[in-house]
Amino acid sequence: MKITKLLTSTTILSSVLFLTACTTFTSPVGSSHPEKETSANTVTFQQIRNATIKLNYAGTKFLVDPMLAPKNAYLGFAGTVNSEVRYPKVDLPVTVEEVLDADAIILTHLHADHWDEAARFLVPRDMPIFTQNEADAKTVRKDGFTNVKVLTEAGVTFNGTKINKTIGQHGTDEMYQVPPLAESLGKTMGLVFQRPDYKTVYVVGDTVWNEEVEEALTRYKPDAVILNIGYAKVDNFDDSIIMGKEDLYRAYQFSPNAKIVGVHMDTVNHATLTKAELRRFIEEKHLDKQRALVPNDGQRYKF
């Protein structure tokens, strides 16, 4: 079973990159325009699309997991539900130039919906890039990137902001008992951003809920938790390879002082949870909508 993405031809790839580089995409509902910080020590979060997000700490902009191709650029992931559906299912909410206005990129892992061919083509070769391990760093360097470093659980500081690696598991224990699937799912990480006098933000990444997630929530006591929550499914398994709506509820209860932000929806073929469904769930559970957040693509929050 394979969940790697394929392009139909180099002609398609060329058109994808041309459109990505040249097109200004439609803005979404919600804030999508650059904003000045309203007060000192504010962290700005922006949902771009899928797992692609931006965080601004003290003027340093971190871009996480860029997928930059326009709508319908790629075949659906083989071996997953709805594989006949092309992705991305929606366009970027802002221009590629605005997405790439960043000081560093962090790749939680190298699946194609987190680091696609368009990003590999368009990201400047000297951009600082952080990966989860040396194996991923080596792969990124092969594409000509010259400033690639590896994050650690002890943390790495960039421009005064500390970034800690956390451990994720991209699927259930049962899934990892199937060698081909385990190889495709691979390893992944989460991220904890810390800076003196700033809010702590935990980007949980592509993972199921497990003891490592609970340990990170307990250890770092984040003020904001970003959950990849699209409930993405592979063939022949009932469970998901990432979190779902019940995990948002779990995080909401586990970290009662944190804002919980759900992302990674409405973009790739195998993500079965939609923003609309998650918002209905939040209503049904009577969750505080100032804490349980479901951003539109392009929307910003301040922490």
Side-chain angles (χ1 to χ4, degrees), residues 152-169:
T152 67
E153 293 180 65
V156 172
T157 299
F158 183 84
N159 286 0
T161 296
K162 188 177 181 182
I163 313 160
N164 303 276
K165 170 184 172 179
T166 64
I167 303 302
Q169 181 177 311

Side-chain angles (χ1 to χ4, degrees), residues 169-200:
Q169 181 177 311
H170 203 344
T172 64
D173 291 342
E174 183 183 9
M175 293 172 186
Y176 276 88
Q177 295 303 310
V178 181
L181 180 56
E183 182 179 358
S184 293
L185 294 172
K187 294 182 178 181
T188 185
M189 70 172 172
L191 309 163
V192 175
F193 294 83
Q194 296 176 303
R195 189 182 183 100
D197 301 319
Y198 283 76
K199 301 294 187 181
T200 296

